[in-house]
C-alpha cells in the first residue's frame, strides 16, 4: 500500500528539462489567457474604493503609513504596499488587475514546481494539478477582484515557503530554514490566513515519513508556531475592532469583523462550519452557482435535516486522513492540506455576514488537486492506452473549466454585473440590492439606485450604508432636506461611519450651511483619514460660501493636484481669484473650465 508514496521519493530526477519547461509554459499561458478579459474591468464599489480609489495613503504612496494601517478590518501591510506600487496618475484599475493576473500565473507555476517535488518529478501530476489550480472557476474572485490582492500575494509567499522547506528537508541546511521563515513572515504580512503554515510544514514532514516529534523537528518549528500565534492574536484583535493597543492605525472606525451574535443556537453554530466545508469540497468538483456573496441560512433552514449531512462528511474526511496515514499518505497530505488551510475561515468565530466565500479556496484547493492528480497519474502510468484516456478526460474537463472561468471573470467586470448575479441567485437577500443600489448611484443611475435601495430596505436592511445611499439619491434629485433625514437615520445606526458625515456635509452645502458642512468634514476626516484627499473640494466650496477666498483657493489647489480635470473646481477657483483681485488667474481658470466642459 505504500507503493505510490514511496515511489515519489525513489523516483529519479532524470526527467528531461525540455518537456518540463514546455509543459510549464503551456500551463502558464492558458492560465493567463483565462484572466485576460479582466484587464479591461473597472474598480468595484465593494472594498476597491476603500483599498484603492478613495485611499489617500495608496494614491499618494505613503509607504510608511501603510505599514501601520488597518484596512477593512485586516492588517496586511505588504498587500497595501503592493497596491500602492500600482497607483500611478491617472489612477487606472488595469495596473492592479494585471498585477493580480501575473501573481496568479506565478502561483500556478509555484504549484507546478511544488507538486513536481512532492510527486517525485511526475510531470503528469504537476501539469494537471497546476492547470486546474490556474483555471478553476472558484479562483476568479481572488484574481479578478482588486481588493483580493492579499490572496494572490500571500499564496505566492506561502507556496515559496513550502518549496523552501522541502529544500531544507532535502539538504538539512539551516539557511534554507531561514529562507522558509522569511517567506512565512512575508506571507503573514500579506494576509492573516498564512498563520497555518507551520501545520503545512508538519504535513510535509508526514509526506516524507519524517518523525514529527523528534527534537530537531520540534526545535525548528518553534519560531514558526510562535510567529503564527502572534499574527493570529493580531488578526483577532483587528477583526474585533481593535488597533493592537494603539500600535496600528484604523482607517474605518465603524467597521467590525467579528459578529457580536448570530441568531443561531450553539448546535447550529457548530453545524454551520461543517456546512461550509461541504460546500467548498462540493464546488471543487461542481463549481456552479458561484456568487460574490453567500448569505447565512435562516434559523429555520439551519435546523433542517440537510444541515446534518455536512458534519458527517467532515468526520469522514478526517477519518480518511487518519486511515491513509499508514498507507499511501496521498489522502493524508491532500485532504490534510485542505482541512488545515480552510479551517480558519469555516466561521467557528463568525466573521462578516457570509457563510462561505469563493476566495477562501484559493490556497486550500492545492491539496485536493494534488491528491486527484496523483490518482490520475497512477492510472495513466498503467499503459499508453490509460495515459491517452486519462489525458483526454482531463483535457475535456480543463476546456469546460476554462470556459466557465472566462465567463465568471465577466461577472466581475463591474458592480452592476457582480451584484446582479447575487440578486439572481439570492433574490431575498438585502445585500445584493444594497450594493448594486449604491454602485448605480455612484455611476449616476439615480432612479435605478433608488429602486434597489428601497428594495433592500423592504427586505429588512438596517445598515448605515443604506441610508447613506438614499441620502445621496435625494441630493442628486435636488432634495437635500430629505437627504439630511436619511443621513441622520444612518448615523443613528452607525455613528462612526465617516462617509455618512462627508455626504451629509455635501447636503449642508446644498442648503448653504457651510459651517455645518465644515464640522462634518472634520468629523469625516477623523473617522476616515485615508479618504481625506477627497474632502478638499467640499472644504473649498464651504470656504467660498463663507467668503474666505484664500482658504478656498488653498483647498482648490490641493483638489486639483489630485483630480486636475474637474471644471467645477477651476470655475470656483476663478471666482475666488477674482474676489482676491487676481483677474489674470481668474481668466486662466475660466478658460480651462470652458475647455474641460467642451470635451
Amino acid at each position: 500500500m505504500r507503493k505510490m508514496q514511496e515511489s515519489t521519493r525513489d523516483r529519479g530526477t532524470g526527467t528531461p528539462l525540455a518537456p518540463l519547461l514546455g509543459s510549464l509554459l503551456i500551463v502558464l499561458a492558458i492560465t493567463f489567457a483565462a484572466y485576460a478579459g479582466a484587464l479591461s474591468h473597472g474598480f468595484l464599489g465593494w472594498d476597491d474604493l476603500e483599498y484603492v480609489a478613495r485611499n489617500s495613503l495608496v494614491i499618494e504612496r505613503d509607504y510608511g503609513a501603510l505599514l501601520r494601517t488597518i484596512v477593512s478590518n485586516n492588517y496586511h501591510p505588504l498587500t497595501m504596499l503592493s497596491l500602492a506600487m500600482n497607483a500611478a496618475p491617472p489612477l487606472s484599475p488595469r495596473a492592479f488587475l494585471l498585477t493580480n493576473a501575473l501573481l496568479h500565473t506565478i502561483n500556478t507555476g509555484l504549484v507546478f514546481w511544488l507538486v513536481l517535488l512532492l510527486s517525485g518529478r511526475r510531470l503528469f501530476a504537476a501539469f494537471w494539478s497546476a492547470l486546474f489550480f490556474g483555471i478553476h472557476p472558484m479562483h476568479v474572485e481572488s484574481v479578478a477582484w482588486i481588493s483580493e490582492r492579499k490572496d494572490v500575494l500571500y499564496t505566492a509567499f506561502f507556496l515559496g515557503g513550502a518549496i523552501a522547506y522541502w529544500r531544507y528537508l532535502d539538504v538539512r541546511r539551516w539557511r534554507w530554514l531561514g529562507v522558509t521563515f522569511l517567506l512565512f513572515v512575508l506571507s503573514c504580512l500579506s494576509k492573516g490566513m498564512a498563520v497555518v503554515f507551520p501545520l503545512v510544514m508538519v504535513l510535509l514532514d508526514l509526506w516524507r515519513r519524517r518523525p514529527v516529534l523528534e527534537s530537531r523537528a520540534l526545535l525548528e518549528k518553534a519560531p514558526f508556531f510562535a510567529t503564527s500565534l502572534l499574527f493570529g492574536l493580531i488578526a483577532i484583535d483587528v477583526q474585533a475592532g481593535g488597533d493592537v493597543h494603539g500600535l496600528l492605525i484604523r482607517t474605518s472606525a465603524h467597521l467590525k469583523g467579528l459578529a457580536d451574535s448570530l441568531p443561531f443556537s450553539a448546535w447550529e453554530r457548530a453545524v454551520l462550519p461543517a456546512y461550509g466545508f461541504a460546500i467548498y469540497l462540493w464546488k471543487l468538483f461542481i463549481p456552479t452557482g458561484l456568487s460574490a456573496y453567500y448569505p447565512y441560512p435562516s434559523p429555520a433552514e439551519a435546523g433542517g435535516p440537510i444541515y446534518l449531512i455536512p458534519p458527517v462528511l467532515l468526520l469522514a474526511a478526517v477519518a480518511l486522513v487518519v486511515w491513509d496515514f499508514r498507507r499511501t499518505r496521498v489522502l493524508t497530505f491532500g485532504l490534510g492540506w485542505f482541512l488545515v488551510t480552510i479551517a480558519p475561515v469555516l466561521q467557528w468565530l463568525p466573521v462578516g455576514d457570509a457563510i462561505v466565500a469563493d476566495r477562501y479556496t484559493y490556497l486550500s484547493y492545492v491539496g485536493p488537486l494534488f491528491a486527484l492528480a496523483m490518482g490520475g497519474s497512477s492510472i495513466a502510468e498503467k499503459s499508453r492506452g490509460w495515459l491517452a484516456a486519462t489525458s483526454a478526460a482531463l483535457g475535456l474537463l480543463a476546456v469546460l473549466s476554462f470556459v466557465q472561468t472566462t465567463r465568471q471573470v465577466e461577472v466581475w467586470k463591474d458592480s452592476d454585473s457582480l451584484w446582479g448575479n447575487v440578486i439572481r441567485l439570492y433574490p431575498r437577500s438585502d445585500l445584493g440590492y444594497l450594493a448594486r443600489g449604491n454602485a448605480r448611484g455612484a455611476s449616476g443611475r439615480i432612479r435605478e439606485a433608488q429602486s434597489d435601495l428601497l428594495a433592500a430596505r423592504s427586505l429588512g436592511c438596517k445598515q448605515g450604508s443604506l441610508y447613506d445611499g438614499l441620502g445621496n439619491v435625494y441630493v442628486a434629485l435636488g432634495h437635500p432636506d430629505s437627504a439630511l433625514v436619511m443621513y441622520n437615520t444612518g448615523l443613528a445606526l452607525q455613528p462612526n461611519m465617516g462617509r455618512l458625515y462627508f455626504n451629509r456635509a455635501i447636503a449642508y452645502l446644498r442648503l448653504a450651511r457651510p459651517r455645518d458642512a465644515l464640522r462634518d468634514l472634520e468629523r469625516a476626516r477623523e473617522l476616515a483619514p485615508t479618504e481625506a484627499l477627497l474632502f478638499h473640494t467640499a472644504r473649498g466650496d464651504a470656504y467660498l460660501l463663507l467668503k474666505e477666498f484664500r482658504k478656498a483657493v488653498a483647498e482648490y489647489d490641493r483638489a486639483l493636484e489630485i483630480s486636475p480635470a474637474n471644471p467645477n473646481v477651476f470655475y470656483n477657483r476663478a471666482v475666488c481669484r477674482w474676489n482676491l483681485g487676481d483677474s489674470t488667474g481668474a481668466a486662466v481658470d475660466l478658460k480651462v473650465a470652458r475647455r474641460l466642459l467642451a470635451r
Side-chain angles (χ1 to χ4, degrees):
M1 294 299 290
R2 294 187 182 182
K3 263 188 180 179
M4 181 186 295
Q5 198 275 345
E6 287 175 349
S7 69
T8 66
R9 292 184 290 111
D10 300 335
R11 240 174 135 78
T13 59
T15 307
L17 184 61
L20 284 178
L21 291 178
S23 299
L24 175 60
L25 289 175
I26 290 171
V27 169
L28 298 183
I30 294 173
T31 296
F32 188 81
Y35 286 92
L39 303 185
S40 60
H41 293 180
F43 291 113
L44 296 171
W46 186 31
D47 282 1
D48 284 355
L49 302 180
E50 185 173 3
Y51 272 85
V52 177
R54 291 178 184 164
N55 193 320
S56 62
L57 302 182
V58 170
I59 294 170
E60 291 198 318
R61 299 185 179 184
D62 191 342
Y63 298 126
L66 287 171
L67 286 171
R68 294 184 55 211
T69 300
I70 298 166
V71 179
S72 192
N73 280 319
N74 290 287
Y75 177 62
H76 37 38
L78 283 188
T79 293
M80 298 310 300
L81 290 176
S82 76
L83 290 171
M85 291 175 185
N86 288 143
L91 195 65
S92 167
R94 184 179 177 85
F96 299 90
L97 291 164
L98 176 60
T99 302
N100 276 18
L102 290 174
L103 282 169
H104 176 60
T105 305
I106 290 170
N107 290 339
T108 302
L110 291 173
V111 171
F112 184 98
W113 186 4
L114 179 62
V115 174
L116 198 67
L117 294 173
L118 295 175
S119 65
R121 294 177 69 87
R122 290 187 177 191
L123 181 56
F124 185 97
F127 178 87
W128 290 109
S129 58
L131 180 61
F132 280 107
F133 173 86
I135 62 174
H136 200 287
M138 286 287 280
H139 291 167
V140 171
E141 182 173 300
S142 296
V143 185
W145 185 15
I146 291 172
S147 298
E148 275 310 302
R149 169 68 57 81
K150 50 187 175 286
D151 262 4
V152 290
L153 188 61
Y154 104 92
T155 297
F157 292 124
F158 196 104
L159 292 172
I163 292 169
Y165 184 63
W166 188 266
R167 178 62 177 165
Y168 166 74
L169 293 175
D170 276 339
V171 300
R172 298 299 176 94
R173 292 178 183 170
W174 288 105
R175 68 170 177 268
W176 280 105
L177 192 64
V179 172
T180 305
F181 183 76
L182 173 62
L183 291 169
F184 164 55
V185 172
L186 293 175
S187 189
C188 288
L189 290 171
S190 302
K191 187 173 183 179
M193 280 180 67
V195 296
V196 300
F197 183 80
L199 296 176
V200 169
M201 294 172 70
V202 173
L203 287 172
L204 291 168
D205 285 349
L206 292 174
W207 178 242
R208 295 180 69 109
R209 297 185 180 270
R210 178 196 185 197
V212 297
L213 296 180
E214 67 179 17
S215 57
R216 177 168 177 146
L218 295 173
L219 176 64
E220 68 196 16
K221 292 180 184 63
F224 290 85
F225 278 104
T227 303
S228 179
L229 177 62
L230 173 63
F231 277 100
L233 292 174
I234 290 172
I236 291 172
D237 182 76
V238 167
Q239 285 287 339
D243 56 9
V244 193
H245 305 287
L247 294 176
L248 304 179
I249 303 168
R250 294 197 69 87
T251 58
S252 298
H254 70 284
L255 289 177
K256 185 177 179 181
L258 292 175
D260 294 319
S261 62
L262 283 174
F264 302 113
S265 67
W267 164 250
E268 289 164 347
R269 286 183 61 179
V271 167
L272 288 176
Y275 171 79
F277 164 83
I279 290 296
Y280 291 132
L281 202 56
W282 171 264
K283 288 185 181 292
L284 171 66
F285 300 100
I286 314 291
T288 57
L290 304 188
S291 174
Y293 172 68
Y294 300 88
Y296 270 91
S298 67
E301 292 171 328
I306 192 172
Y307 289 91
L308 299 178
I309 299 174
V312 177
L313 293 177
L314 179 57
L315 291 174
V318 174
L320 274 176
V321 168
V322 175
W323 174 81
D324 191 49
F325 181 74
R326 295 187 179 276
R327 293 169 176 79
T328 68
R329 296 199 181 181
V330 172
L331 292 176
T332 298
F333 183 84
L335 280 176
W337 179 297
F338 180 66
L339 287 166
V340 162
T341 54
I342 205 74
V345 293
L346 288 181
Q347 300 293 40
W348 307 102
L349 289 174
V351 179
D353 53 3
I355 188 168
V356 295
D358 294 355
R359 61 187 178 275
Y360 292 153
T361 67
Y362 187 71
L363 177 65
S364 300
Y365 276 177
V366 172
L369 287 174
F370 164 75
L372 291 168
M374 288 293 288
S377 180
S378 296
I379 294 172
E381 289 172 359
K382 290 181 178 180
S383 68
R384 289 181 179 271
W386 279 109
L387 174 61
T390 307
S391 298
L394 291 175
L396 177 60
L397 289 175
V399 170
L400 294 174
S401 185
F402 181 90
V403 170
Q404 187 178 356
T405 292
T406 56
R407 289 176 177 173
Q408 186 65 15
V409 165
E410 287 308 299
V411 170
W412 286 81
K413 66 180 179 181
D414 55 40
S415 295
D416 205 72
S417 172
L418 184 69
W419 295 108
N421 183 61
V422 172
I423 291 168
R424 179 179 62 82
L425 293 168
Y426 302 102
R428 300 305 302 166
S429 172
D430 63 301
L431 181 63
Y433 290 100
L434 171 63
R436 191 175 70 175
N438 280 327
R440 285 178 166 179
S443 64
R445 298 163 63 181
I446 304 305
R447 290 297 183 184
E448 292 172 284
Q450 184 179 32
S451 176
D452 275 349
L453 293 170
L454 291 176
R457 186 166 68 174
S458 70
L459 289 169
C461 181
K462 295 181 180 179
Q463 295 189 36
S465 57
L466 168 66
Y467 294 96
D468 182 49
L470 286 171
N472 296 341
V473 164
Y474 286 124
V475 167
L477 292 175
H479 305 299
D481 285 322
S482 298
L484 284 181
V485 174
M486 294 296 104
Y487 295 137
N488 292 337
T489 303
L491 286 169
L493 292 169
Q494 291 180 259
N496 292 323
M497 188 173 175
R499 289 299 299 177
L500 273 167
Y501 283 99
F502 172 76
N503 288 324
R504 191 172 70 174
I506 302 302
Y508 280 137
L509 289 174
R510 298 288 191 277
L511 293 167
R513 295 168 58 179
R515 296 195 185 280
D516 291 328
L518 287 171
R519 186 189 65 243
D520 272 4
L521 288 169
E522 179 59 24
R523 182 62 176 149
R525 185 192 64 78
E526 294 171 358
L527 294 172
T530 60
E531 297 185 20
L533 282 179
L534 306 177
F535 301 165
H536 291 293
T537 299
R539 288 173 62 87
D541 292 345
Y543 286 127
L544 175 59
L545 287 172
L546 291 169
K547 298 184 178 181
E548 297 183 28
F549 301 117
R550 292 191 186 281
K551 289 183 178 181
V553 168
E555 295 292 344
Y556 290 140
D557 288 344
R558 192 72 180 92
L560 289 172
E561 290 176 11
I562 302 158
S563 180
N566 189 328
N568 293 326
V569 175
F570 278 105
Y571 177 82
N572 287 342
R573 191 173 69 174
V575 173
C576 294
R577 284 178 165 176
W578 177 266
N579 281 281
L580 290 170
D582 181 8
S583 57
T584 302
V588 170
D589 278 351
L590 285 173
K591 184 177 180 180
V592 174
R594 281 197 299 269
R595 186 177 72 247
L596 291 172
L597 287 170
R599 285 182 179 178

